[in-house]
Amino acid sequence: MKIALLDSGIGLLAATAAVRRLRPDADLVLSLDPDGMPWGPRTPDDIIGRALSLAEAAAAHGPEALIIGCNTATVHALTALRTRLEPGLPVIGTVPAIKPAAAGGGPFAIWATPATTGSPYQRGLIDEFASGVPATEVPCHGLAEAVEHADEAAIDAAVAAAAALTPEDVTTVVLGCTHYELVAERIRAAVQRPGRPPLVLHGSAGAVAAQALRRIGARPAPEAAATGTLMVLLSGREGSGLPVPALAYEEGRLLRTATPAR
């Protein structure tokens, strides 16, 4: 089994680690874009073009499924990627977990990049899945970039700023950018209010990994031998391993133990 994932940077680590935990025997191909990151400020057409380029580089290595490990890329490029690659290569996008957050019934917040916050895409998800449930969109200025570079001081500052914008009665936070899942516990500590029930966080990595297995007719097998290999592509070029900042996170350290693909 071989599964590919793409993103401009290390935001794909959360979904990659989720796949690794479900299927330690799966070979993984990670397609990143250090030459073009960050994608957030780029035009939709530019994001589509770069995503297609990363996807084709990954597809050349024969994966059975491709995960878009990025909310921004999913918004802009999912349709184009599916048109180009399916049905031969199933493409799985990453959608903010607004539906399960709203199902809890309590007030919730959606932490997302400034570009995604207030976008028609995100507002559409709120209208569809959270009608009647108090939802607050929180723009997280600089958080994805800080996580990408493992800049501890910048992460703390960005998390604190977003927490200050989060209403005190919020019981649930949707992590609307894949980078945020890498610092989930820091977000929990910043938003948790004294005397309030434990804060619920909703990421997308686990659901995306499970959907990828379903699309190829495979089942989770966390007990399988950890024989899966790891290949890293950097703007289409084969790299020597994960970017150094990835190793600052538990998800990156988990993947470091994988055998490099040959």
Side-chain angles (χ1 to χ4, degrees):
M1 180 191 304
K2 183 180 287 186
I3 294 176
L5 300 95
L6 72 80
D7 188 6
S8 62
I10 64 173
L12 53 63
L13 287 179
T16 306
V19 173
R20 170 65 75 221
R21 293 184 179 105
L22 290 177
R23 290 300 300 249
D25 57 339
D27 295 332
L28 302 173
V29 179
L30 308 188
S31 191
L32 289 73
D33 189 26
D35 292 354
M37 64 174 297
W39 284 0
R42 292 183 174 275
T43 66
D45 285 346
D46 199 6
I47 292 171
I48 290 169
R50 302 201 75 86
L52 286 169
S53 179
L54 293 192
E56 289 173 349
H61 294 276
E64 295 169 57
L66 172 68
I67 293 171
I68 308 174
C70 172
N71 296 89
T72 298
T74 298
V75 170
H76 297 298
L78 178 59
T79 298
L81 287 167
R82 284 180 168 167
T83 299
R84 179 75 61 88
L85 299 172
E86 291 189 344
L89 179 61
V91 179
I92 297 90
T94 299
V95 177
I98 291 173
K99 184 177 181 179
F108 71 95
I110 307 160
W111 283 33
T113 63
T116 299
T117 300
S119 67
Y121 167 75
Q122 184 160 288
R123 288 284 169 85
L125 292 174
I126 294 170
D127 291 343
E128 182 177 359
F129 297 118
S131 179
V133 181
T136 301
E137 296 180 273
V138 177
C140 302
H141 296 275
L143 181 53
E145 293 81 1
V147 172
E148 179 68 32
H149 295 99
D151 185 330
E152 296 293 323
I155 292 170
D156 287 343
V159 167
L165 298 176
T166 304
E168 291 199 5
D169 62 348
V170 157
T171 59
T172 300
V173 172
V174 174
L175 303 177
C177 170
T178 54
H179 280 80
Y180 303 170
E181 297 191 47
L182 301 178
V183 292
E185 291 311 310
R186 292 165 79 162
I187 292 171
R188 185 191 306 279
V191 179
Q192 180 68 58
R193 312 298 185 190
R196 301 282 296 174
L199 185 75
V200 177
L201 298 179
H202 282 286
S204 302
V208 166
Q211 175 67 1
L213 294 184
R214 284 193 291 270
R215 288 290 303 273
I216 63 176
R219 294 179 178 274
E223 74 286 350
T227 55
T229 61
L230 179 69
M231 172 178 287
V232 179
L233 304 175
L234 303 175
S235 298
R237 307 177 300 273
E238 188 168 341
S240 59
L242 292 169
V244 171
L247 303 180
Y249 304 104
E250 178 185 351
E251 292 84 350
R253 294 190 293 272
L254 171 68
L255 298 169
R256 181 176 54 182
T257 62
T259 303
R262 296 178 180 178

